Amino acid sequence: MIEKAETLNTQAINLATSGHYTEAIACFKRALVVEQSNYLLWFNLGITYQEAGDLHRAKEAMLTANSISPNDQEVLESIALICFNLGQLEEAAEYCQDGLDLYPLNSHLWNTMGVLFFNQSEFSLAAEAFERAVSINPFYYDALFNLRDTYDELGNKEGKKACIEKMNEIKKQNSGSLYD
């Protein structure tokens, strides 16, 4: 009996969602035997490795996904984040820039670029990147959080206050109560 890659992919996702990463990874690998050039299987394998804490294998799987589908923005976002988490900041910035060249309205890539700048103490550039993320998606809580911290580093009290107000508004909409 020949297994179908789609069925194995679904089974692997269910296993990973339940925290059974070893079994999920094995399932993705079986699916890749059937469809080795399916970038989505490589992407899902990379996400699973990442969730399991194996960032090196996650990166390898994502790079394979990227070689099959080089313009997929989720793959580019994931590689950038994995590189960041591995401390490979220059490489992370390259993947962010590649993604932004293709998808200038991707708020997640702008946020990641801001995080990279922030970690290099380039606070003005970080603020610009976070501001772009928030201008694209005004309800992007993580970008607002990061922008608030960046404004704090820059001594921009009014900007920090505006971020806190927007964050409280989002929390209120999501939970029905106001937080400090």
Side-chain angles (χ1 to χ4, degrees):
M1 181 173 150
I2 297 174
E3 294 179 297
K4 293 184 178 181
E6 183 179 330
T7 304
L8 290 167
N9 183 53
T10 301
Q11 185 179 4
I13 289 170
N14 290 335
L15 286 165
T17 301
S18 300
H20 302 289
Y21 301 121
T22 303
E23 295 88 346
I25 289 165
C27 208
F28 282 126
K29 287 181 176 181
R30 284 198 324 266
L32 285 164
V33 169
V34 178
E35 284 186 33
Q36 189 164 4
S37 63
N38 184 329
Y39 92 95
L40 189 57
L41 291 172
W42 287 104
F43 174 79
N44 289 339
L45 176 61
I47 293 292
T48 304
Y49 273 130
Q50 186 178 7
E51 289 174 357
D54 190 341
L55 295 179
H56 292 286
R57 285 200 173 112
K59 183 179 175 186
E60 289 173 16
M62 285 298 174
L63 290 174
T64 302
N66 189 55
S67 70
I68 297 167
S69 183
N71 295 332
D72 186 276
Q73 60 186 318
E74 287 184 88
V75 172
L76 293 168
E77 287 174 32
S78 295
I79 295 171
L81 286 172
I82 290 167
C83 288
F84 172 75
N85 288 321
L86 285 169
Q88 302 165 344
L89 302 184
E90 285 183 33
E91 196 172 351
E94 289 173 19
Y95 282 104
C96 274
Q97 192 58 59
D98 289 348
L100 289 170
D101 289 344
L102 294 167
Y103 306 101
L105 297 179
N106 183 311
S107 59
H108 293 277
L109 286 167
W110 280 112
N111 185 60
T112 301
M113 187 67 89
V115 169
L116 291 167
F117 286 134
F118 188 94
N119 278 277
Q120 296 170 349
S121 299
E122 296 283 348
F123 300 119
S124 293
L125 293 173
E128 289 177 31
F130 295 135
E131 287 165 352
R132 291 287 292 270
V134 171
S135 71
I136 294 164
N137 180 357
F139 299 98
Y140 188 1
Y141 191 88
D142 289 347
L144 281 164
F145 182 94
N146 293 332
L147 183 57
R148 178 202 66 191
D149 289 352
T150 304
Y151 283 157
D152 190 41
E153 290 290 333
L154 292 169
N156 181 344
K157 293 178 183 179
E158 289 302 312
K160 179 181 175 182
K161 181 181 175 190
C163 288
I164 291 169
E165 289 171 0
K166 185 67 176 179
M167 290 164 62
N168 283 336
E169 177 186 325
I170 292 168
K171 285 181 181 178
K172 183 177 180 184
Q173 289 175 352
N174 290 338
S175 68
S177 63
L178 188 64
Y179 295 97
D180 292 333

